[in-house]
């Protein structure tokens, strides 16, 4: 159970405050507010004004009533500005400021736009891409040299808002947006499978550059035929490379055979890119020939090729190649924790222990999966750990009185989760670590567990690991973990990642509850447990959910060599996939994790196992190193259906 940090004499004022907020008079006002909100949302403005008129101006959520009154009319810019000035402590003002900035941007009223844009930056608000493009246009109009920023914005596989179009038109008129830039975005769009954008970019290429109208359809329906045909234009060559990629995704060996025969029709850079695409998709399929195909490609020509060339080198045990791949990455990518760790591992494997330990020492101070692994690589334990801090009674009084936090908590109680989160995040702006931790503790006491965790994770120098790794439902989770002979720290680590302890959580694919169990899996588990035909319907209940989830976790754990890595991957992506990702030979657990093809599952496994380490440290008892939890993943055994393959929580 969680230890309460405050004595009774300090908790009493907060308790009285909550009782006061729940008084009949305030309950009536809350009911009027909910009626006003419902009427506004349905466009019943007469009913809205009637309900809102019953609520005093001193009511905690009165800014929302003023906001809705404003929006129910056709307010002028001056009225919007007055609301912003009068209500600076709510995200509603930021929402209106964004609306004003958009209006001024569309009218190209750059002085007024700049006023709003700068105010957003000063309030730590992050302008969206539409506003960023308006700002680039403003800077163009002011004569600033922003061509490089505009071209960098252009080079993306994502759709951009229409406010960006004039930026690109200006770049084209000034000769800053070249044919190579246009072809680069065409390739990026095709790599990302954004065919709508690819067609749009192609339509703006000159006829002697563009691909044929039906080229992308051919690339999917008859890719080999397209590769065999003439590739007279740069656009058509991009379509052919897309066709090659289409083949490589399903059969890298066939793609390599075809490319050997057809690559002579293409420029050398395209030839190398084609081999890079084959290597990329071979690496994602854990094909041992991936490093050889990457070697024919030379320097990777995309971020995806770069990352998978490195992963293929790790999986093959080629440490020098892995080191060189990491060194060739752009600085921002190279400085990510994942690649700093593997660079250090590569240095250590090549007996460059001093530079390796320098990297490990710095990384070991970070609160993440790689920080834990780095600490275990050091010859001596680093004693300088992040500072722990427990909120004081005074901290909690200040947090409980904070208008933004109070407003967020009330919105949550009244069922407005979206505005509650917005208010909470707005309130956290500019807070010190200690203020953030007090807010996190306030959220925990309110049972707002996901917000408590997310808030506690925002601290920079002082931390409270009991808040980062809260343990609600501890009686149930501990009991069912013990019943199934599972490490309770691992069970909590998995629950934290699955749902952040939100018992009503439901994923987009239908997984439900604290341990996010799919309906089909719930039925299978109920049958295995010998329960009634409708027992699976109770999976939303925390006790049933934890009972089912731990049973399933134990089942796949036992059938997957009692490997926490394989079982965690299987819980997210299914046992069949976890087996498929095993190698032809045994693999170090950390390398298996790093080479999981699904980004979601790869990050999931890292976070669950890191969570388990922090929970074990919190709970006490015998601690296992993370490298021990990762272990060695045995070689894949093909042709055998295991019991755990009968059901999987997620496709």
């Amino acid at each position: 159970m969680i230890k309460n940090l405050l004595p009774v004499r300090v908790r009493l004022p907060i308790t009285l405050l909550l009782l006061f907020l729940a008084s009949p008079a305030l309950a009536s006002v809350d009911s009027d507010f909910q009626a006003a909100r419902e009427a506004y949302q349905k466009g019943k403005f007469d009913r809205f004004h009637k309900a809102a008129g019953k609520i005093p101006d001193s009511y905690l959520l009165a800014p929302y009533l003023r906001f809705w009154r404003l929006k129910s009319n056709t307010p002028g810019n001056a009225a919007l500005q007055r609301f912003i000035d009068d209500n600076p402590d709510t995200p509603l003002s930021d929402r209106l400021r964004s609306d004003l900035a958009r209006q001024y941007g569309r009218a190209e009223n750059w002085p007024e736009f700049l006023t709003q844009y700068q105010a957003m930056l000063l309030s730590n608000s992050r302008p969206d891409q539409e506003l960023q493009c308006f700002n680039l246009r403003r800077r163009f109009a002011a004569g600033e040299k922003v061509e490089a920023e505009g071209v960098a914005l252009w080079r993306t596989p994502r759709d951009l808002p229409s406010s960006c179009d004039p930026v690109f038109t200006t770049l084209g008129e000034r000769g800053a947006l070249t044919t190579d830039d246009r072809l680069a975005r065409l390739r990026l769009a095709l790599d990302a499978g954004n065919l709508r954008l690819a067609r749009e970019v192609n339509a703006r290429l000159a006829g002697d550059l563009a691909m044929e109208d039906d080229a992308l359809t051919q690339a999917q329906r008859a890719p080999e035929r397209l590769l065999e045909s003439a590739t007279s234009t740069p656009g058509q060559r991009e379509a052919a490379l897309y066709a090659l990629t289409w083949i490589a995704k399903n059969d890298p060996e066939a793609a390599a055979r075809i490319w050997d025969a057809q690559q002579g029709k293409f420029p050398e850079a395209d030839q190398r890119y084609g081999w890079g695409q084959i290597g990329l998709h071979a690496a994602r399929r854990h094909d041992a020939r991936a490093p050889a195909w990457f070697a024919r490609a030379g320097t990777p020509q995309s971020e995806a090729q770069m990352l998978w060339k490195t992963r293929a080198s790790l999986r093959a045990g080629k440490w020098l190649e892995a080191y060189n791949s990491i060194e060739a990455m752009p600085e921002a990518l190279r400085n990510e924790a994942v690649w700093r760790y593997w660079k250090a591992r590569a240095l250590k494997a090549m007996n460059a222990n001093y530079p390796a330990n320098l990297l490990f020492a710095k990384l070991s101070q970070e609160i993440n999966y790689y920080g834990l692994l780095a600490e275990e690589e050091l010859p001596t334990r680093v004693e300088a750990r992040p500072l722990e801090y427990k909120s004081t009674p005074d901290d909690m009084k200040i947090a409980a009185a904070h208008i933004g936090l109070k407003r967020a908590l009330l919105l949550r109680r009244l069922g407005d989760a979206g505005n509650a989160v917005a208010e909470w995040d707005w309130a956290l702006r500019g807070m010190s670590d200690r203020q953030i931790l007090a807010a996190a503790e306030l959220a925990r006491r309110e049972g707002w567990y996901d917000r408590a965790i997310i808030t506690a994770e925002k601290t920079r120098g002082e931390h409270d690991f009991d808040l980062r790794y809260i343990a609600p439902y501890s009686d149930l989770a501990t009991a069912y973990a013990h019943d199934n002979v599972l490490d309770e720290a691992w069970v909590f680590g998995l629950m934290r990642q699955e749902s952040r302890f939100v018992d009503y959580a439901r994923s987009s694919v239908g997984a439900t509850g604290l341990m996010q169990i799919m309906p089909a899996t719930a039925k299978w588990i109920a049958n295995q447990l010998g329960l009634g035909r409708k027992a699976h319907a109770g999976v939303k209940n925390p006790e049933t959910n934890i009972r089912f989830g731990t049973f399933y976790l134990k089942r796949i754990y036992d059938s997957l060599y009692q490997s926490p890595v394989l079982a965690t991957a299987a819980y997210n992506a299914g046992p069949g996939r976890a087996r498929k990702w095993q190698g032809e030979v045994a693999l170090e657990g950390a390398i298996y994790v790093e080479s999981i093809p699904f980004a979601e599952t790869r990050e999931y496994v890292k976070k669950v196992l890191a969570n388990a380490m922090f929970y074990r440290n919190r709970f006490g008892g015998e601690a296992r190193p993370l490298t021990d939890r990762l272990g060695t993943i045995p070689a894949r055994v093909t042709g055998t259906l295991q019991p755990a393959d009968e059901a999987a929580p997620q496709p």
Side-chain angles (χ1 to χ4, degrees):
M1 299 296 289
I2 297 176
K3 180 173 66 176
N4 205 314
L5 299 178
L6 299 181
V8 172
R9 66 178 183 277
V10 174
R11 295 201 307 272
L12 186 58
I14 297 176
T15 304
L16 288 175
L17 173 63
L18 295 178
L19 288 173
F20 174 71
L21 289 174
S23 69
L26 281 178
S28 175
V29 178
D30 290 344
S31 179
D32 289 336
F33 176 82
Q34 289 175 299
R37 179 179 64 195
E38 182 181 357
Y40 175 79
Q41 291 170 342
K42 292 181 177 179
K44 307 290 186 181
F45 296 124
D46 289 342
R47 192 190 307 168
F48 161 70
H49 289 296
K50 183 177 179 180
K54 300 177 183 179
I55 301 172
D57 289 341
S58 59
Y59 180 58
L60 189 59
L61 301 181
Y64 283 82
L65 299 172
R66 294 194 287 271
F67 179 81
W68 293 331
R69 285 193 184 102
L70 190 67
K71 297 290 281 186
S72 64
N73 298 307
T74 308
N77 290 352
L80 296 176
Q81 188 63 55
R82 276 195 301 273
F83 183 94
I84 292 168
D85 295 338
D86 292 343
N87 300 275
D89 62 349
T90 169
L92 296 174
S93 62
D94 190 59
R95 202 179 304 171
L96 290 184
R97 196 183 295 284
S98 178
D99 290 345
L100 273 178
R102 237 175 286 281
Q103 285 184 39
Y104 291 132
R106 289 167 188 155
E108 298 189 353
N109 183 342
W110 300 129
E112 294 292 348
F113 170 83
L114 180 59
T115 298
Q116 301 299 333
Y117 194 83
Q118 288 180 330
M120 292 178 73
L121 296 177
L122 287 171
S123 67
N124 293 323
S125 178
R126 185 176 181 180
D128 61 27
Q129 205 155 43
E130 181 181 15
L131 293 176
Q132 291 175 38
C133 281
F134 278 132
N135 193 49
L136 275 179
R137 288 165 60 182
R138 177 195 65 78
R139 294 171 64 192
F140 265 133
E144 294 185 40
K145 296 290 185 183
V146 292
E147 283 82 358
E149 292 176 59
V151 171
L153 179 67
W154 166 264
R155 285 177 171 253
T156 176
R158 298 187 299 274
D159 294 307
L160 294 170
S162 59
S163 65
C164 300
D165 292 344
V167 173
F168 304 138
T169 299
T170 302
L171 290 172
E173 291 170 350
R174 297 184 180 185
L177 194 64
T178 66
T179 297
D180 286 345
D181 292 320
R182 297 181 189 279
L183 290 170
R185 192 173 187 200
L186 175 61
R187 178 174 289 182
L188 286 169
L190 291 172
D191 275 356
N194 189 345
L195 301 190
R196 191 212 61 77
L197 176 61
R199 291 188 174 97
E200 180 183 305
V201 173
N202 185 65
R204 298 186 181 186
L205 291 170
D208 60 343
L209 298 173
M211 68 176 78
E212 296 173 7
D213 291 342
D214 65 343
L216 297 183
T217 301
Q218 287 186 46
Q220 292 183 346
R221 294 180 179 176
E224 190 168 353
R225 190 186 311 160
L226 181 62
L227 280 160
E228 291 171 354
S229 65
T231 53
S232 56
T233 69
Q236 192 70 4
R237 289 197 290 273
E238 292 300 331
L241 288 167
Y242 174 67
L244 178 68
T245 301
W246 190 263
I247 298 169
K249 285 180 179 179
N250 299 303
D251 191 345
E253 182 178 14
R257 184 178 64 253
I258 293 166
W259 195 232
D260 253 332
Q262 303 298 333
Q263 66 174 334
K265 301 175 183 178
F266 294 77
E268 182 183 351
D270 287 352
Q271 293 180 33
R272 290 189 287 104
Y273 177 77
W275 286 116
Q277 290 298 90
I278 295 168
L280 160 65
H281 291 290
R284 286 176 57 87
R285 297 170 67 87
H286 301 144
D287 190 314
R289 294 165 293 185
W293 288 325
F294 274 126
R296 298 187 70 173
T299 303
Q301 295 184 47
S302 72
E303 182 176 303
Q305 289 183 12
M306 204 173 293
L307 297 178
W308 280 101
K309 181 178 182 181
T310 309
R311 292 183 179 119
S313 299
L314 291 173
R315 198 160 170 112
K318 297 178 181 292
W319 290 104
L320 177 59
E321 285 87 340
Y323 175 83
N324 289 335
S325 292
I326 295 167
E327 283 293 275
M329 292 177 181
E331 184 178 5
L333 197 61
R334 190 170 65 245
N335 286 336
E336 291 179 2
V338 49
W339 304 120
R340 283 184 283 131
Y341 171 75
W342 287 112
K343 177 181 176 180
R345 283 288 308 277
L347 286 167
K348 183 175 180 179
M350 296 184 292
N351 295 317
N353 291 320
Y354 179 73
N357 287 336
L358 288 178
L359 287 170
F360 286 137
K362 187 173 182 180
L363 187 56
S364 71
Q365 301 306 296
E366 298 181 18
I367 306 170
N368 55 42
Y369 171 83
Y370 295 104
L372 293 168
L373 284 175
E375 183 178 13
E376 293 176 9
E377 291 288 345
L378 289 168
T380 57
R381 184 181 177 88
V382 177
E383 293 300 328
R385 304 300 299 158
L387 294 175
E388 282 256 30
Y389 181 79
K390 298 296 182 185
S391 296
T392 66
D394 286 343
D395 292 335
M396 295 308 301
K397 286 179 183 177
I398 293 169
H402 191 290
I403 189 70
L405 300 181
K406 287 167 65 177
R407 195 179 285 137
L409 291 172
L410 180 53
L411 283 165
R412 177 175 178 265
R413 290 186 207 114
L414 298 181
D416 191 345
N419 280 320
V421 169
E423 282 282 354
W424 188 270
D425 290 345
W426 187 259
L428 296 179
R429 294 169 311 121
M431 282 190 177
S432 68
D433 282 353
R434 295 186 178 190
Q435 291 170 322
I436 288 171
L437 291 175
E441 172 62 14
L442 190 63
R444 185 197 66 79
R445 294 182 186 186
E446 284 281 320
W448 202 0
Y449 298 132
D450 58 332
R451 200 52 35 190
I453 292 169
I454 292 166
T455 302
E457 287 181 329
K458 292 181 181 292
T459 55
R460 300 164 293 275
E462 294 181 294
H463 312 287
D464 185 341
F465 287 92
D466 287 350
L467 282 173
R468 285 191 180 220
Y469 297 94
I470 59 175
Y473 307 100
S474 57
D475 291 345
L476 292 172
T478 299
Y480 282 116
H482 290 170
D483 285 351
N484 287 284
V485 197
L486 293 172
D487 176 13
E488 63 176 334
W490 181 31
V491 171
F492 272 101
L494 187 143
M495 278 201 296
R496 182 185 189 273
Q497 191 58 32
E498 286 286 353
S499 65
R500 292 289 193 271
F501 303 106
V502 177
D503 58 17
Y504 54 83
R506 183 177 176 84
S507 75
S508 60
V509 294
T512 300
L514 293 166
M515 299 191 74
Q516 290 290 279
I517 300 173
M518 290 290 287
T521 305
K523 290 182 181 179
W524 179 84
I525 294 169
N527 182 59
Q528 294 293 309
L529 290 170
L531 303 177
R533 290 179 57 192
K534 296 185 178 181
H536 65 278
V539 73
K540 295 179 183 178
N541 174 274
E543 180 169 6
T544 302
N545 198 275
I546 294 172
R547 181 187 182 188
F548 280 22
T550 50
F551 172 85
Y552 183 78
L553 185 61
K554 172 65 171 176
R555 183 70 175 248
I556 56 179
Y557 175 66
D558 284 345
S559 68
L560 291 169
Y561 311 99
Q562 294 196 327
S563 163
V565 169
L566 288 173
T568 304
Y571 199 94
N572 180 262
R577 290 192 178 110
R579 293 181 187 283
K580 182 180 178 182
W581 299 333
Q582 291 174 249
E584 299 297 330
V585 297
L587 284 171
E588 178 190 335
I591 290 176
Y592 172 93
V593 172
E594 205 61 65
S595 58
I596 291 174
F598 295 175
E600 177 192 328
T601 305
R602 187 166 60 246
E603 296 309 308
Y604 174 89
V605 174
K606 294 175 190 177
K607 289 175 181 175
V608 168
L609 294 180
N611 290 348
M613 293 293 293
F614 289 114
Y615 275 113
R616 176 48 57 207
N617 184 60
R618 182 187 164 181
F619 296 158
E622 184 179 359
R624 294 173 63 193
L626 180 52
T627 48
D628 186 31
R629 288 181 183 271
L630 290 164
T632 299
I633 307 302
R636 179 173 62 247
V637 177
T638 58
T640 304
L641 182 68
Q642 299 293 326
D645 293 324
E646 297 172 15
Q650 287 185 220

